[in-house]
Amino acid sequence: MWCIKVDRFLPYSRQWIDEEDIKNVVEVLKENIITQGEKIEQFEKALAEIFGAKYAVVFNSGTSALHGAYFALSLGKNDEFITTPISFVATSNAGLYLGAKPVFVDIDSDTGCIDASLIEKHINPKTKLISVVHYGGHPVDMDVVWNIADRYGLFVVEDACHALGSKYKGKMIGDCKRSSAVIFSFHPLKHITTGEGGAVLTNYEDVYNKLKMFRNSGITKDKRFFENKSDGDWYYEMQILGFNYKMTDFQAALGLSQLKKLERFVKKRREIANFYDTKFEGNKWFNVLKNKDFALNSYHLYPIRLKGNCTEKKQEIFKALRKSGLGVQVHYIPIYLQPFYKKLGYKQGLCPEAEAFYRQELSLPIFPLMDEKDVEFVISAVFDVFERMCG
Ligand SMILES: *Cc1c(COP(=O)(O)O)cnc(C)c1O
């Protein structure tokens, strides 16, 4: 089988596109309709089916999917939403787009996920929604989140961009059983890719209808929803201020083709993580994250946390790992420490666990295209660098 071979430099993650994927994309490129055709509908149906939700709506990115979900749940000016500082900026930016205020809650240092037990004390009459992130693929303790949300009448959004194929208490993330919406990203670094792309899954018909309008400039062509009398068969209505957030049909074809491989991709990521776990157990330089009893982790990331004097040497360790061919990365700088957020008034010290996590964290390469030699290469490069730098 044809595949791109990675040698010497291993990124922390990357896509795996094979000949079958390419064939599926090329077929759509020869069609008359290359955007918003039948592949979009097929991809949405397949997503809903595989993850166990009623509806899926695909977008041109995970960021626009988040924006759509928050919009459809009527997050707006004067609202607050609770979220985590250890995420990609989009989780919180999407609320800022709508004029809402992010309230950052500190993390559980075992997993890097929001500490669900700290959420309640940040709720006030302005709180409308809780947006959690299954960091690295590790599920948040959702029962705690859902119970709080029920008690206060809040919406729950799961930013599951890291967690395709993860399970919480045996159930697939994405089934939307007690969440209003679940978000996926199909960026090439995530579990499956459409180049750029994302999706919202939901069980609510009204949210679904709003999402479809939102990604299409706020326009509907569906007579059932018209506010005014139709002028003729050409008639359409713009009812909300939406955006052009549409995915193309050839991207959806890639998504459909990739989705078939998700189970295999997740299995491979889990095997690599288990192998790392056993090799790194008990080492004196860094800790690995802990999986909770309720978790089945699909490992978008394999984060390690530096210990003791290694923490102070993080810059040098990072450089040395990069130099030895490991495309390590740091996930994440706490969102509220970004200059834009600081100008909004957020201050250093807001979430001490998240800030400590940032000081210590490094993400090692993990992706399904890695073979045994690659995995061994990572392990020996890691031990070599730490032996050299921290003794
Ligand atoms: C990747 C990612 C997003 C956004 O996805 P894009 O498709 O890149 O816009 C949002 N949240 C998290 C946690 C992500 O990792």
Side-chain angles (χ1 to χ4, degrees):
M1 196 184 73
W2 174 86
C3 67
I4 301 164
K5 214 37 227 148
V6 183
D7 63 353
R8 284 207 297 274
F9 193 80
L10 295 169
Y12 78 85
S13 184
R14 59 155 293 155
Q15 75 280 9
W16 184 351
I17 290 173
D18 64 15
E19 272 180 88
E20 185 197 22
D21 294 324
I22 292 169
K23 192 172 132 269
N24 285 319
V25 172
V26 169
E27 266 167 29
V28 175
L29 289 172
K30 295 175 188 160
E31 296 286 328
N32 292 321
I33 295 173
I34 62 167
T35 188
Q36 301 294 291
E38 57 187 31
K39 288 295 171 200
I40 294 284
E41 275 166 39
Q42 286 172 21
F43 187 32
E44 289 178 339
K45 234 179 124 207
L47 284 168
E49 215 169 275
I50 284 173
F51 295 100
K54 259 196 178 141
Y55 308 102
V57 181
V58 294
F59 282 79
N60 59 3
S61 73
T63 303
S64 50
L66 277 162
H67 189 190
Y70 293 168
F71 174 86
L73 297 169
S74 68
L75 187 68
K77 282 198 184 63
N78 302 319
D79 291 333
E80 292 186 0
F81 64 107
I82 286 171
T83 189
T84 172
I86 296 296
S87 182
F88 182 54
V89 290
T91 316
S92 139
N93 286 356
L96 290 181
Y97 299 161
L98 297 161
K101 181 185 166 198
V103 173
F104 295 99
V105 169
D106 213 348
I107 59 158
D108 175 343
S109 54
D110 282 355
T111 63
C113 293
I114 194 166
D115 183 342
S117 72
L118 300 177
I119 290 175
E120 193 163 5
K121 67 177 182 203
H122 290 90
I123 293 173
N124 66 46
K126 288 184 167 180
T127 313
K128 164 108 25 92
L129 179 155
I130 305 172
S131 182
V132 300
V133 174
H134 304 300
Y135 174 80
H138 190 291
V140 170
D141 195 352
M142 291 310 297
D143 276 336
V144 178
V145 177
W146 287 324
N147 290 340
I148 295 168
D150 283 352
R151 225 171 315 127
Y152 292 91
L154 308 175
F155 295 122
V156 174
V157 173
E158 295 171 60
D159 178 339
C161 292
H162 292 188
L164 257 79
S166 288
K167 289 179 181 171
Y168 173 68
K169 296 189 177 173
K171 295 217 175 74
M172 198 71 133
I173 300 275
D175 68 4
C176 300
K177 281 287 175 296
R178 291 178 71 189
S179 291
S180 300
V182 175
I183 316 301
F184 294 144
S185 163
F186 309 123
H187 186 276
L189 297 169
K190 308 298 164 68
H191 290 80
I192 64 166
T193 192
T194 60
E196 295 280 358
V200 182
L201 277 68
T202 186
N203 284 344
Y204 295 106
E205 195 181 353
D206 58 330
V207 171
Y208 170 71
N209 292 331
K210 253 194 184 168
L211 288 168
K212 297 228 320 190
M213 278 191 229
F214 189 74
R215 75 170 176 199
N216 189 23
S217 304
I219 288 169
T220 182
K221 290 170 189 159
D222 189 332
K223 309 197 232 329
R224 291 175 301 156
F225 304 132
F226 289 165
E227 292 174 13
N228 299 320
K229 201 171 86 40
S230 164
D231 295 337
D233 286 349
W234 65 85
Y235 187 72
Y236 59 88
E237 283 187 356
M238 181 206 136
Q239 299 179 341
I240 57 175
L241 189 58
F243 292 78
N244 180 1
Y245 279 167
K246 300 190 296 292
M247 180 187 272
T248 64
D249 239 40
F250 48 95
Q251 287 176 293
L254 180 55
L256 258 173
S257 185
Q258 288 258 299
L259 196 52
K260 293 189 191 122
K261 302 163 177 135
L262 177 64
E263 217 178 294
R264 185 152 55 82
F265 287 174
V266 169
K267 189 166 168 267
K268 194 71 196 293
R269 284 178 177 272
R270 286 174 52 74
E271 281 167 10
I272 297 167
N274 284 335
F275 198 66
Y276 283 161
D277 281 350
T278 39
K279 292 289 176 181
F280 295 147
E281 201 187 329
N283 84 81
K284 57 181 176 179
W285 305 297
F286 57 85
N287 291 316
V288 304
L289 301 191
K290 294 192 192 98
N291 280 312
K292 307 275 191 194
D293 298 342
F294 55 70
L296 187 136
N297 189 342
S298 64
Y299 288 100
H300 164 56
L301 300 175
Y302 191 86
I304 61 171
R305 288 188 70 168
L306 307 184
K307 292 204 280 201
N309 77 326
C310 291
T311 308
E312 285 88 69
K313 293 184 186 152
K314 178 162 161 175
Q315 287 182 4
E316 293 77 19
I317 293 167
F318 186 92
K319 268 203 189 101
L321 289 167
R322 279 279 175 106
K323 215 173 151 195
S324 56
L326 306 193
V328 289
Q329 191 47 279
V330 173
H331 297 96
Y332 291 94
I333 303 170
I335 294 173
Y336 63 80
L337 293 180
Q338 294 293 349
F340 186 85
Y341 281 80
K342 280 203 163 158
K343 282 173 206 145
L344 297 176
Y346 297 93
K347 297 211 161 55
Q348 182 106 27
L350 181 64
C351 299
E353 285 294 340
E355 291 177 22
F357 193 86
Y358 166 54
R359 282 195 296 276
Q360 299 168 338
E361 197 271 344
L362 284 172
S363 301
L364 299 183
I366 186 164
F367 53 92
L369 200 47
M370 286 170 77
D371 61 20
E372 271 168 49
K373 277 205 195 96
D374 294 327
V375 179
E376 295 284 2
F377 172 70
V378 171
I379 292 163
S380 66
V382 164
F383 282 140
D384 178 61
V385 164
F386 279 90
E387 188 71 61
R388 218 162 6 103
M389 317 277 318
C390 303

